[in-house]
Amino acid sequence: MSHFNDFSNPQVAKLPNHLKQFIVNQNYGKYTPIDQAVWRYVMRQNYSYLKNVAYYPYIKGLQRAGLSIEHIPDLQTMNDNLGKIGWGAVTVDGFIPPAAFMEYQAYKVLVIAADIRQINHIEYTPAPDIIHESAGHAPIIADADYNNYLSYFGSIGAKAMFSAKDFELYEAIRKLSILKEANDADEMEIAKAEKNLRYISENMGEPSEMALLGRLHWWTVEYGLIGTLEDPKIYGAGLLSSIGESATCMQNDVEKLWYSINTINHQYDITKPQPRLFVTPTFQNLIDVLEQFADTMAFRRGGSESVLKAIACKNVATAVYSSGLQVSGIFTDIGIDTNDELTFIKTTGPSALAFENIQLNNHGKNYHTDGFSSPVGQLKGSAKLLENYTDAEIAALKTGDKTGLTFESGIKVTGKVTNLLRKNGKLLLITFEECTVTESNNNILFRAEWGTYDMAVGSKIISVFNGAADKDAYEEITPVSTEKTHQLQYDEKTKNLHNLYKRVREIRENNESLDELNDIFDKLKQQHRQDWLCALEILELIAQKPRYTRLEKELMIYIEIKAAKEPDHHKLILDGLHVIKHPVSQLLSN
């Protein structure tokens, strides 16, 4: 990543390495003239419709985010504009893991999929694309209450525990979305991927913290409504960027419920329109509900239930002792007493110790290669917590040259103390040589011949969260999916169609050579009968111009026959005609 481009945006510049790995170049030149026309069509529809139902001044929001109707946004322009409101943007390849997505949000960076939906998925695509991310998420970022919610959600989501099943689900969704957007996809393969996704999602078991937060994210950031049940306005990006659903969601057959903590009980299906939506009276209510949920999460609760979530996760997690010591690794075992209190915790495989999210010197995963285990709790018969012991009080526990610690749980640690590590006045680690650790039933947890024993100090585990404490030091490079989005290749016929679109754009932008449109329309009729959007763009240019009455009539007949004969394009064409009759330029001045 030495050539990392931060677009001179302070938020992007702050990103840590484990997030930078997902960034891809936008590669603006790959957008074809049809891609640009698709962007413009959707944006004109959005402007035309959303001015009545979007919660915030959509057009002002777009301008503040550096977006225009006319062109797919360029990342540098977006960063220049978002930078003024303390945000940034980067492009990635399709879906990225939920925890990484959340963390970007915590860093106040919008993640934008670099690809754009194909014309045959113009109304809605389950795959993330630049229309969804930029036309949906970016315009509302200017609202301070909302962007506070978004970054706060990110910081909580980044700590959420996920289950091993969640990762399988992410891979299945990613695979299906890539297949669906590939122009060479095999129907059998798509059906197989859909079946696989259905199977995984129907057998998820108890939903993890990440799955439940995913629901809150979906019903707010993606599909949220704000206001009253009778007259709600749209703020969710999934609705704002789907020209199909932004219209249908306001109908009465889509149930409207108040948004509250109970919303986590509602699952969603990304492949179909939502049967119900949730309305929040204010953005502050979103923060209140999130706060309520966060209070149930492992990173705030700690204790045995939270370490058990880490064990179920089968991925790297961090447990925090009451002394402040952070242990990162894959948790595999715990000891619990009769009161359900923890007596010890254990990781297997490379583990690391940290304090305040900075790895401790010489305690990285190259040192703790085979795992880490330590008691949790208080010393027997002592009112004072071990983390508050002074050097003199530790020395007083010595008998001969060995120091013996007996915990309330019955665990005994005996050995030569060679080092005490303190931070902020708390004892974090006691290092022993020639050490044995036994449980009350004489079960041996550590033998002297195994070498140095680093014992964590802390009466409780106060927090458990997803991922390593110091992610960059842990080199926790999340496996980037091997499924890459397909890069399209175009045949000659398609390239010719691209050129026709390009020429229509040039004529529109320079406002000259309108006579050439006749010839372009002839080529469309003869060689590209499957296309509907280019004909609409020509009609837009000559509508209500007396000189072109004949061509206007021909185009209208051609387009209306298309709308009648092609059910897939029927609504798209009628919507396009509507915007031609009620031009966007009038909207801009409103």
Side-chain angles (χ1 to χ4, degrees):
M1 295 294 319
S2 53
H3 60 288
F4 176 67
N5 178 4
D6 63 16
F7 304 99
S8 308
N9 179 299
Q11 297 311 121
V12 177
K14 277 184 208 148
L15 289 172
N17 290 332
H18 67 275
L19 291 181
K20 287 180 188 169
Q21 62 169 334
F22 295 105
I23 298 172
V24 296
N25 283 332
Q26 183 182 19
N27 187 5
Y28 196 87
K30 75 172 177 213
Y31 299 123
T32 67
I34 295 182
D35 292 338
Q36 294 283 2
V38 164
W39 169 271
R40 183 171 180 271
Y41 173 90
V42 174
M43 294 308 286
R44 283 158 56 84
Q45 290 298 331
N46 281 355
Y47 266 33
S48 157
Y49 177 68
L50 293 171
K51 67 181 195 299
N52 304 317
V53 294
Y55 160 68
Y56 54 92
Y58 187 73
I59 288 151
K60 279 203 187 79
L62 280 172
Q63 289 162 346
R64 287 190 68 179
L67 302 173
S68 80
I69 308 190
E70 291 297 322
H71 296 277
I72 294 173
D74 148 60
L75 221 53
Q76 185 62 60
T77 312
M78 281 189 78
N79 272 298
D80 293 345
N81 285 274
L82 289 170
K84 294 174 193 157
I85 45 182
W87 279 70
V90 295
T91 38
V92 297
D93 181 33
F95 276 112
I96 65 170
F101 182 83
M102 294 289 177
E103 224 185 324
Y104 272 107
Q105 240 170 260
Y107 277 93
K108 299 191 174 183
V109 175
L110 269 188
V111 179
I112 297 177
D115 290 335
I116 185 163
R117 64 194 65 178
Q118 291 180 36
I119 191 163
N120 52 347
H121 299 153
I122 193 165
E123 284 195 82
Y124 172 78
T125 169
D129 82 329
I130 194 159
I131 292 181
H132 171 82
E133 315 287 350
S134 49
H137 290 288
I140 192 172
I141 288 281
D143 185 294
D145 284 345
Y146 182 74
N147 75 43
N148 283 337
Y149 170 65
L150 212 53
S151 57
Y152 188 49
F153 199 109
S155 62
I156 285 175
K159 294 189 168 84
M161 301 300 295
F162 57 88
S163 68
K165 289 264 196 243
D166 289 337
F167 213 81
E168 278 178 47
L169 185 70
Y170 153 70
E171 282 286 357
I173 289 173
R174 181 176 161 89
K175 183 164 185 162
L176 178 63
S177 73
I178 290 170
L179 283 173
K180 281 195 158 172
E181 278 298 299
N183 60 354
D184 50 0
D186 170 357
E187 289 305 318
M188 289 281 290
E189 245 194 292
I190 289 182
K192 205 167 95 184
E194 276 176 341
K195 193 174 158 191
N196 180 41
L197 175 56
R198 205 169 306 121
Y199 178 76
I200 293 173
S201 55
E202 282 165 10
N203 294 281
M204 291 292 289
E206 268 294 285
S208 65
E209 290 179 356
M210 186 59 98
L212 294 172
L213 266 178
R215 292 176 191 177
L216 295 186
H217 199 264
W218 181 265
W219 296 124
T220 60
V221 175
E222 295 297 355
Y223 277 80
L225 300 174
I226 185 168
T228 61
L229 293 182
E230 299 69 40
D231 181 30
K233 298 279 184 249
I234 298 176
Y235 71 89
L239 290 173
L240 291 173
S241 61
S242 159
I243 47 185
E245 213 168 343
S246 58
T248 54
C249 78
M250 286 305 179
Q251 291 161 4
N252 289 335
D253 58 348
V254 176
E255 190 185 2
K256 314 292 189 298
L257 302 170
W258 285 115
Y259 179 73
S260 72
I261 190 69
N262 300 326
T263 306
I264 60 168
N265 300 320
H266 293 270
Q267 288 173 282
Y268 58 88
D269 179 345
I270 72 165
T271 61
K272 13 179 170 343
Q274 306 307 317
R276 77 180 61 81
L277 294 170
F278 294 87
V279 183
T280 184
T282 59
F283 286 141
Q284 183 56 44
N285 177 54
L286 301 184
I287 291 182
D288 297 344
V289 169
L290 180 59
E291 200 49 39
Q292 239 179 310
F293 181 71
D295 283 342
T296 70
M297 289 170 63
F299 85 95
R300 286 199 181 160
R301 290 182 66 92
S304 52
E305 56 168 327
S306 301
V307 187
L308 286 170
K309 282 184 183 178
I311 292 173
C313 172
K314 299 191 168 93
N315 275 282
V316 175
T318 297
V320 186
Y321 275 85
S322 46
S323 61
L325 179 73
Q326 297 167 313
V327 179
S328 300
I330 294 176
F331 286 84
T332 50
D333 195 12
I334 54 174
I336 299 184
D337 67 15
T338 46
N339 304 322
D340 280 343
E341 294 291 336
L342 283 168
T343 60
F344 75 88
I345 58 171
K346 178 178 192 307
T347 64
T348 301
S351 303
L353 306 181
F355 180 74
E356 291 180 347
N357 301 328
I358 309 275
Q359 188 168 293
L360 297 175
N361 284 340
N362 307 322
H363 286 288
K365 61 181 187 182
N366 299 337
Y367 178 67
H368 298 285
T369 47
D370 305 320
F372 183 86
S373 81
S374 255
V376 180
Q378 285 174 246
L379 293 188
K380 204 170 185 163
S382 170
K384 190 171 189 177
L385 301 182
L386 185 57
E387 58 246 50
N388 296 331
Y389 270 46
T390 62
D391 287 13
E393 286 167 318
I394 297 282
L397 301 169
K398 231 168 154 176
T399 315
D401 61 349
K402 294 240 169 141
T403 299
L405 308 177
T406 304
F407 288 84
E408 282 178 346
S409 62
I411 290 179
K412 282 196 172 89
V413 180
T414 315
K416 289 182 178 172
V417 174
T418 56
N419 193 31
L420 301 176
L421 179 70
R422 296 178 187 280
K423 293 269 183 192
N424 292 4
K426 297 271 186 193
L427 183 57
L428 302 193
L429 266 186
I430 303 178
T431 303
F432 292 89
E433 297 296 342
E434 299 169 31
C435 181
T436 48
V437 184
T438 51
E439 285 186 280
S440 53
N441 59 4
N442 295 324
N443 178 28
I444 293 180
L445 296 175
F446 193 89
R447 294 178 187 276
E449 53 270 28
W450 295 353
T452 307
Y453 182 66
D454 292 295
M455 189 191 89
V457 177
S459 56
K460 286 188 165 57
I461 295 297
I462 55 170
S463 174
V464 178
F465 57 84
N466 167 41
D470 185 340
K471 291 186 170 62
D472 281 352
Y474 196 87
E475 291 164 6
E476 190 190 27
I477 300 299
T478 319
V480 175
S481 183
T482 50
E483 281 285 334
K484 294 285 180 238
T485 51
H486 299 228
Q487 294 310 315
L488 304 176
Q489 300 297 325
Y490 302 103
D491 58 19
E492 279 312 306
K493 185 178 173 195
T494 311
K495 287 180 187 163
N496 290 336
L497 180 58
H498 287 172
N499 286 333
L500 298 181
Y501 270 91
K502 184 169 174 240
R503 191 63 198 124
V504 170
R505 176 176 284 271
E506 288 163 357
I507 292 169
R508 183 173 62 243
E509 288 175 352
N510 303 326
N511 199 15
E512 58 181 35
S513 323
L514 284 157
D515 291 355
E516 210 185 302
L517 294 169
N518 242 321
D519 179 39
I520 295 175
F521 179 43
D522 283 343
K523 286 185 180 143
L524 279 177
K525 279 189 301 195
Q526 287 155 22
Q527 294 152 24
H528 307 285
R529 290 200 75 89
Q530 81 294 351
D531 187 84
W532 55 273
L533 182 52
C534 197
L536 272 177
E537 290 207 315
I538 296 173
L539 179 62
E540 179 200 331
L541 286 173
I542 56 154
Q544 290 131 25
K545 289 197 167 76
R547 187 173 160 190
Y548 297 102
T549 314
R550 202 195 91 252
L551 179 57
E552 184 176 3
K553 271 196 185 130
E554 267 185 62
L555 273 158
M556 275 309 289
I557 293 167
Y558 180 76
I559 288 166
E560 281 170 350
I561 289 173
K562 257 184 146 12
K565 274 193 180 159
E566 300 171 16
D568 283 359
H569 299 143
H570 178 79
K571 182 178 182 300
L572 293 166
I573 290 171
L574 295 186
D575 288 349
L577 288 171
H578 175 82
V579 176
I580 290 172
K581 289 190 186 110
H582 307 92
V584 171
S585 53
Q586 293 165 11
L587 301 175
L588 282 176
S589 53
N590 285 352

